[in-house]
């Protein structure tokens, strides 16, 4: 799963005595700069910005991964030096070290936040950094812009030995997943979940149980996953938001979403439970 590693200590300013090699998470758009090696892919490592002729548009200190500092940067023009190239985070799953990929997800969200809040959203004044806080501050009107998180509820609905999986138009061919939807202003997670299930497949569920959560940096979601039991109603889809939804037994699962995702973990947990039953 894509997750920030436990030995990562976030900070917006480096400690004064930090020296030595650092990891560089360099983005162009949402793609990460990697070096191709015989063994796979690596990140650039250097104590300072490593590409003198290729200046970054922005740099952010991220914190420490173990005993090594981490920096995020964005480049907006020019192309990578020989031996390096930009790749999507999804494409780097199982190729780049899992801890580094977790920090890269964090870095991508902060780069996008910094890029989107250079000017105050209320009065248009250029914003500033504020001490050691992860905030863009407007000196004219005082507005503070923190990195945004958009909560998404996700639910695995079970009925006996089966789970409900659905297919949305944006999915890769053949892939089915659990239901998910954004929480709207004023809703609790539980209300959002019941509303999404009713809207998307027309059924009711009961016995909600929290499962786990995951940051999903495309661009700034927080996935909050639940298990629930089918209660009543006939499954139907509108053909637009969802193309299909069906009950699947563990031995008959369709193609599933990426192992980076919370959906994958929810479905694997179901398979493991049914196997051990
Ligand atoms: Zn302002």
């Amino acid at each position: 799963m894509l997750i920030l590693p436990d030995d990562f200590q976030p900070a917006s300013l480096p400690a004064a005595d930090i020296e030595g090699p650092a990891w560089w998470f360099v983005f162009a758009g949402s793609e990460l700069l990697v070096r191709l090696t015989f063994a796979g892919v690596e990140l650039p490592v250097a104590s300072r910005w490593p590409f003198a002729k290729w200046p970054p548009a922005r740099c952010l200190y991220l914190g420490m991964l173990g005993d090594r500092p981490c920096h995020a940067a964005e480049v907006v023009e020019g192309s990578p030096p020989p031996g390096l190239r930009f790749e999507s985070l999804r494409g780097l799953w199982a190729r780049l070290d899992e801890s580094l990929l977790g920090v890269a997800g964090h870095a991508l969200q902060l780069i996008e936040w910094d890029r989107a809040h250079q000017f105050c959203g209320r009065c248009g004044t250029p914003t500033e950094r504020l001490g050691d806080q992860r905030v863009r501050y407007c000196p004219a009107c005082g507005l503070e812009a923190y990195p945004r998180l958009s909560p998404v509820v996700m639910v695995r609905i079970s009925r006996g030995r089966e789970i409900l999986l659905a297919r949305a138009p944006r999915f890769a061919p053949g892939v089915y997943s659990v239901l998910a939807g954004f929480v709207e202003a004023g809703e609790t997670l539980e209300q959002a979940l019941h509303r999404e299930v009713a809207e998307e497949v027309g059924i009711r569920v009961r016995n909600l149980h929290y499962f786990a959560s995951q940051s999903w940096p495309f661009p700034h979601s927080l996935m909050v996953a639940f298990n629930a039991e089918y209660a009543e109603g006939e499954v139907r889809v509108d053909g637009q938001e969802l193309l299909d939804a069906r009950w699947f037994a563990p031995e008959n699962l369709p193609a599933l979403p990426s192992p980076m995702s919370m959906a994958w973990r929810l479905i694997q947990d179901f398979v493991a439970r049914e196997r051990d039953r």
Side-chain angles (χ1 to χ4, degrees):
M1 205 168 79
L2 182 66
I3 195 163
L4 207 49
D6 289 338
D7 59 345
F8 178 70
Q9 292 281 337
S12 63
L13 289 176
D17 57 351
I18 292 299
E19 292 284 332
W23 297 111
W24 284 88
F25 298 83
V26 182
F27 289 91
S30 60
E31 296 197 323
L32 179 67
L33 184 70
V34 291
R35 185 185 307 281
L36 304 177
T37 69
F38 185 69
V41 291
E42 290 176 355
L43 287 186
V45 174
S47 56
R48 300 192 181 283
W49 173 250
F51 312 108
K53 294 179 182 162
W54 197 36
R58 70 191 73 255
C59 269
L60 292 173
Y61 180 69
L62 296 174
M64 300 289 290
L65 177 60
D67 56 6
R68 185 172 282 190
C70 299
H71 299 275
E74 180 184 35
V75 291
V76 294
E77 51 193 24
S79 37
L84 293 108
R85 73 175 184 203
F86 287 103
E87 294 202 27
S88 74
L89 296 191
R90 286 181 174 91
L92 288 168
W93 172 257
R95 293 168 58 219
L96 182 65
D97 173 83
E98 203 169 339
S99 292
L100 293 175
L101 198 62
V103 178
H106 173 69
L108 174 59
Q109 294 185 67
L110 292 182
I111 287 285
E112 295 207 341
W113 158 76
D114 191 75
R115 182 199 303 138
H117 293 92
Q118 292 296 301
F119 296 90
C120 175
R122 187 156 63 197
C123 75
T125 302
T127 59
E128 300 172 353
R129 292 187 183 188
L130 192 62
D132 62 353
Q133 296 185 56
R134 196 67 87 187
V135 63
R136 297 294 306 185
Y137 172 76
C138 174
C141 78
L143 187 73
E144 296 175 348
Y146 291 87
R148 184 163 79 175
L149 290 178
S150 302
V152 171
V153 284
M154 176 173 276
V155 60
R156 180 181 87 196
I157 303 169
S158 57
R159 186 183 72 175
R161 285 190 70 250
E162 299 177 314
I163 52 169
L164 184 67
L165 299 177
R167 189 169 153 63
R170 65 180 185 281
F171 290 2
V175 169
Y176 282 68
S177 186
V178 293
L179 301 183
F182 285 102
V183 180
E184 294 187 358
E187 280 184 327
T188 64
L189 299 174
E190 293 85 348
Q191 288 168 333
L193 192 155
H194 286 295
R195 176 183 52 73
E196 279 290 336
V197 170
E199 282 175 6
E200 294 196 348
V201 292
I203 65 172
R204 295 174 62 82
V205 295
R206 63 186 176 204
N207 286 343
L208 301 191
H209 287 286
Y210 173 74
F211 178 74
S213 65
Q214 179 192 24
S215 168
W216 191 244
F218 309 108
H220 40 62
S221 295
L222 174 66
M223 317 302 286
V224 186
F226 292 84
N227 288 317
E229 289 174 17
Y230 167 82
E232 61 181 11
E234 192 77 26
V235 173
R236 48 161 183 74
V237 297
D238 65 2
Q240 311 246 323
E241 201 171 339
L242 289 181
L243 301 174
D244 189 24
R246 294 186 216 173
W247 298 100
F248 290 93
E251 64 275 12
N252 271 325
L253 291 177
L256 299 177
S258 163
M260 280 171 76
S261 67
M262 173 60 78
W264 188 86
R265 194 175 143 199
L266 258 178
I267 297 166
Q268 294 308 315
D269 177 74
F270 163 76
V271 171
R273 280 181 194 211
E274 288 302 318
R275 192 178 50 221
D276 298 342
R277 197 184 274 252

